[in-house]
Amino acid sequence: MCGIVAYIGKQEAFPIILKGLKRLEYRGYDSSGIAVVNNDSLNVFKKQGKVAMLEEFVTDKDTSGCIGIGHTRWATHGLPTDANAHPHSSGNEKFALVHNGIIENYAIIKENLINKGHTFLSETDTEVLMHLIEEISTQHDCDLFTAVRLALNEVIGAYAIVVINKENDQELIAARKSSPLVVGIGKGEYFCASDATPIIEFTKNVVYLEDGEIAKLSLKDGLKLKTIKNETKTPFIQKLEMELETLEKGGYDHFMLKEIFEQPKSVQDCMRGRLVLNENKVSLGGILNYKEQIVNAKRIIVIACGTSWHAGLVGEYLFEELARVPVEVEYASEFRYRNPIIYPDDVVIAISQSGETADTLAAIELAKSKGATIVGVCNVVGSSISRATDCGSYTHAGPEIGVASTKAFTAQVTVLTLMAMMIGREKGTISDERFTRLMIDLDNIPHKIESVLKTDAQIQKIADIYKDSPNALFLGRGINFPVALEGALKLKEISYIHAEGYPAAEMKHGPIALIDEEMPTFVVATKDGSYEKVVSNIQEVKARKGKVIAIVTKGDKVVKGIADHVIEIPKTDDMLVPLIATIPMQLLSYHIAVMRNCNVDQPRNLAKSVTVE
Ligand code: F6R
């Protein structure tokens, strides 16, 4: 959701920023823009639509300059028009600003500024912030660093901003609160971006700005950091571990397909050093300091959104079965406004791929204020959520660029499995024999995912049959119910087919009314505790002439005899089935979306990192 890229140094800024914006396209956006300073003039280029349209728009324009700021905007205040696109200039056209987040008190500030003679060209809250900075800089006759700092003391809301001044091409000013911003430190040059992806090919040395920090990136004075309360801070420089290849498609048509096929490796990476077979133990270093609180928790509350929430639901089955601890799984957006009952001996697990989801962050702050222990399960290293939690385990899935989450989900479920096993082992709620069997089965999961990926051609044929269905139903029971929810979410978000996920037995209580010969029902019908029941549910669909596509355990004959299509997956422990049953669902959605000519990696209206509530 919205992306920022900025550059200052000796190279041409525009191409670096343009490339950076392309790297951030995965976050979701509907317009883009870049401003550069060259010989005391500020040149702003903005365009509704994709970055490629901005690129085309500037072909006959002079974009030179060694300092600039760029932005991809996901519309909040006002339509995605050229005028509302960022950067926004000050009234005197001296400064330009890019902004992620929302200025909540913009209306009152705007009214005050209008009374002082300011006029506005857009409907955005960002332009208001730009004019406020201009007003303060004129009133106080101060430098831009000070003007930005004073202005930020007057605003309520969330922001990551970068500002340039046409009269000073030697520095950029950047600040953040509740919206991420990373500063890259090169040789005689600085980069700034919403995440590290635009920076990685230039430098691995980065500083993640903290909430309430403001940075001056100066070619003369280096990197200076303050809080908006004017306290000086020392920048903490970190080394990025990410590799550039992980940001490329690597021969696949789409990032989503690449990421689906990366799952044998991402699950393996997630378990590396944690599933210690020769010592028959699970070791999660990131939560060791809070092991006692976690093992003795009276209750676990999982907070997350979307696909991460589905992973949390799988976690509920895992923790209850293996660690015998009650679990509640909450939508972060509901939890934060519900005045929930939270005790100091509760453990709250916050799951987030991006680590930036605004609702999940706010829910964490609420749980923290009640004294609960907060454990993070994040993919993006150094993200806001990973820093807001007491402890946590990274999923190590590598950058996920496709907006629809795939490998992050299986990595989240892997971490939750490891946690449940570790707690169960400590508490003695899991027998030695089961623990050892689970260790071996978990270790085999990457190979099993590989074998499921080999069914891709068969899945493609099934996709071709159902690609024009306007609706679809997804069913599963027990630990596979969240798999059904996730299957439905994947299909609807990338192919725009209406899809619903249900616990298979719930079908009789309503959704069965939808079944007719047009309606495909995707069912997880693997050989586990609820197999017989699911078989009955499939019979109920078939009795109403519905089409059934079932995911079954290899060698199954019963479902094969009833369903229209079966996709076989290898046998594994019941608790681990979601890790492999999810894969055919992902492939089905992917192929259907491609066949429908949908933009698979950047579905309409969606953002990868949802930084507004
Ligand atoms: C769906 C999807 C979203 C995210 C949700 C939470 O494919 O990607 O539903 O799961 O927006 O995002 P994170 O995990 O970054 O907190």
Side-chain angles (χ1 to χ4, degrees):
M1 193 171 264
C2 296
I4 287 177
V5 186
Y7 174 79
I8 181 167
K10 292 190 179 55
Q11 305 185 57
E12 279 299 307
F14 195 94
I16 292 176
I17 296 171
L18 191 78
K19 194 170 184 193
L21 292 182
K22 286 185 181 166
R23 290 234 188 265
L24 291 183
E25 282 190 301
Y26 78 98
R27 294 169 70 91
Y29 72 104
D30 31 46
S31 58
S32 66
I34 295 178
V36 285
V37 169
N38 189 24
N39 293 331
D40 289 344
S41 77
L42 176 66
N43 301 317
V44 183
F45 312 98
K46 322 201 275 191
K47 219 61 209 142
Q48 179 186 347
K50 293 288 171 198
V51 175
M53 293 170 78
L54 176 70
E55 193 171 12
E56 200 186 311
F57 173 67
V58 300
T59 41
D60 56 349
K61 303 194 171 48
D62 180 9
T63 58
S64 40
C66 297
I67 170 171
I69 54 178
H71 192 260
T72 47
R73 171 176 185 255
W74 189 85
T76 56
H77 294 67
L79 292 171
T81 58
D82 293 356
N84 286 335
H86 302 203
H88 288 284
S89 310
S90 53
N92 57 12
E93 292 181 2
K94 187 173 155 187
F95 310 118
L97 168 96
V98 287
H99 166 222
N100 290 354
I102 290 180
I103 305 300
E104 287 168 14
N105 58 339
Y106 83 102
I108 180 128
I109 298 174
K110 187 171 184 177
E111 201 182 310
N112 286 338
L113 289 168
I114 289 172
N115 290 339
K116 287 182 177 147
H118 289 256
T119 52
F120 293 89
L121 306 174
S122 78
E123 300 154 83
T124 64
D125 51 338
T126 303
E127 193 185 13
V128 175
L129 176 58
M130 180 70 274
H131 280 247
L132 178 65
I133 293 168
E134 173 189 6
E135 178 66 26
I136 290 175
S137 117
T138 316
Q139 257 179 31
H140 293 249
D141 192 22
C142 57
D143 63 10
L144 182 60
F145 192 39
T146 311
V148 172
R149 190 175 57 72
L150 295 175
L152 293 180
N153 276 288
E154 291 188 24
V155 303
I156 299 169
Y159 52 79
I161 58 167
V162 187
V163 199
I164 48 173
N165 176 358
K166 75 170 180 183
E167 290 170 6
N168 183 355
D169 62 4
Q170 298 295 296
E171 63 187 43
L172 282 173
I173 309 298
R176 79 155 265 176
K177 186 180 164 221
S178 307
S179 191
L181 206 55
V182 190
V183 174
I185 305 172
K187 289 201 176 84
E189 57 186 1
Y190 291 101
F191 305 82
C192 217
S194 299
D195 63 43
T197 53
I199 297 177
I200 186 76
E201 64 188 281
F202 301 103
T203 176
K204 289 203 164 184
N205 295 326
V206 295
V207 173
Y208 289 93
L209 294 192
E210 299 284 345
D211 269 355
E213 280 184 352
I214 166 164
K216 177 158 83 172
L217 317 178
S218 163
L219 295 181
K220 285 193 189 129
D221 308 331
L223 170 60
K224 298 272 176 262
L225 214 56
K226 279 191 173 187
T227 66
I228 63 165
K229 301 281 171 236
N230 207 19
E231 298 137 345
T232 302
K233 299 275 296 276
T234 309
F236 172 57
I237 301 174
Q238 301 187 37
K239 273 243 172 310
L240 288 175
E241 283 176 16
M242 190 189 289
E243 295 304 329
L244 187 59
E245 307 82 74
T246 59
L247 306 176
E248 313 280 351
K249 282 192 200 141
Y252 286 90
D253 287 344
H254 298 95
F255 280 109
M256 182 178 174
L257 189 63
K258 177 184 173 228
E259 286 156 9
I260 292 173
F261 273 83
E262 273 173 359
Q263 287 174 107
K265 179 173 182 302
S266 52
V267 169
Q268 188 76 63
D269 287 347
C270 180
M271 295 191 297
R272 182 159 299 120
R274 294 168 165 177
L275 189 72
V276 195
L277 279 169
N278 54 0
E279 293 175 35
N280 205 31
K281 72 169 194 194
V282 167
S283 165
L284 289 165
I287 59 172
L288 269 189
N289 289 346
Y290 288 82
K291 194 166 166 184
E292 206 175 307
Q293 289 92 320
I294 295 169
V295 169
N296 296 322
K298 296 269 182 314
R299 176 173 69 151
I300 290 177
I301 303 172
V302 178
I303 47 176
C305 303
T307 289
S308 298
W309 183 78
H310 295 156
L313 282 180
V314 177
E316 178 176 21
Y317 288 88
L318 289 163
F319 285 115
E320 293 196 351
E321 165 80 12
L322 303 176
R324 304 302 298 147
V325 54
V327 180
E328 284 169 30
V329 186
E330 304 268 3
Y331 284 116
S333 53
E334 289 296 313
F335 181 80
R336 62 181 288 197
Y337 288 116
R338 215 193 51 224
N339 192 12
I341 298 158
I342 309 166
Y343 301 108
D345 53 8
D346 282 336
V347 164
V348 171
I349 302 182
I351 309 175
S352 174
Q353 187 285 129
S354 62
E356 301 297 343
T357 304
D359 283 319
T360 310
L361 255 174
I364 289 173
E365 294 310 330
L366 175 68
K368 243 187 193 174
S369 71
K370 311 270 181 194
T373 301
I374 321 286
V375 181
V377 177
C378 289
N379 193 36
V380 178
V381 177
S383 56
S384 304
I385 291 176
S386 70
R387 285 178 294 147
T389 46
D390 293 314
C391 62
S393 298
Y394 281 117
T395 42
H396 296 308
E400 190 178 66
I401 309 293
V403 164
S405 195
T406 53
K407 63 175 181 172
F409 174 78
T410 43
Q412 289 164 344
V413 172
T414 305
V415 166
L416 295 171
T417 309
L418 292 168
M419 278 185 185
M421 286 171 68
M422 191 203 81
I423 302 171
R425 181 75 157 166
E426 288 288 325
K427 285 174 74 172
T429 50
I430 173 169
S431 69
D432 287 351
E433 194 207 335
R434 177 92 196 269
F435 186 83
T436 308
R437 224 173 345 105
L438 267 172
M439 296 264 298
I440 296 167
D441 270 10
L442 194 53
D443 188 49
N444 273 323
I445 289 292
H447 301 296
K448 292 185 177 172
I449 294 179
E450 242 160 46
S451 77
V452 179
L453 289 170
K454 290 195 180 121
T455 61
D456 188 39
Q458 183 208 352
I459 292 175
Q460 215 165 322
K461 284 189 192 138
I462 298 174
D464 194 37
I465 299 171
Y466 296 103
K467 64 178 188 301
D468 298 320
S469 305
N471 298 292
L473 203 56
F474 286 75
L475 304 177
R477 287 186 91 132
I479 198 164
N480 292 314
F481 157 52
V483 175
L485 291 179
E486 176 58 9
L489 178 63
K490 283 291 88 82
L491 186 67
K492 75 183 111 180
E493 68 184 335
I494 60 167
S495 71
Y496 319 139
I497 292 175
H498 172 240
E500 299 275 358
Y502 270 95
E506 267 298 300
M507 190 183 57
K508 284 193 279 297
H509 301 282
I512 199 163
L514 295 168
I515 306 248
D516 60 16
E517 47 277 275
E518 303 295 318
M519 177 77 142
T521 299
F522 299 88
V523 192
V524 184
T526 45
K527 282 237 166 85
D528 54 33
S530 31
Y531 175 70
E532 313 292 343
K533 307 274 177 210
V534 176
V535 171
S536 306
N537 299 136
I538 293 176
Q539 300 276 23
E540 288 156 9
V541 177
K542 286 312 299 171
R544 283 150 191 89
K545 299 201 169 75
K547 299 280 184 289
V548 172
I549 305 96
I551 294 168
V552 299
T553 309
K554 216 176 190 95
D556 183 296
K557 292 209 170 52
V558 178
V559 179
K560 212 175 206 167
I562 334 169
D564 297 271
H565 314 270
V566 294
I567 301 163
E568 291 191 326
I569 63 170
K571 174 95 188 119
T572 188
D573 188 286
D574 288 3
M575 290 289 110
L576 306 182
V577 172
L579 286 169
I580 43 180
T582 301
I583 313 293
M585 303 277 195
Q586 296 171 345
L587 286 169
L588 268 164
S589 306
Y590 170 77
H591 289 301
I592 289 177
V594 171
M595 288 167 189
R596 289 167 69 94
N597 283 325
C598 296
N599 187 343
V600 173
D601 283 335
Q602 292 160 39
R604 69 182 180 208
N605 305 336
L606 290 181
K608 184 69 184 162
S609 163
V610 184
T611 50
V612 297
E613 66 170 287

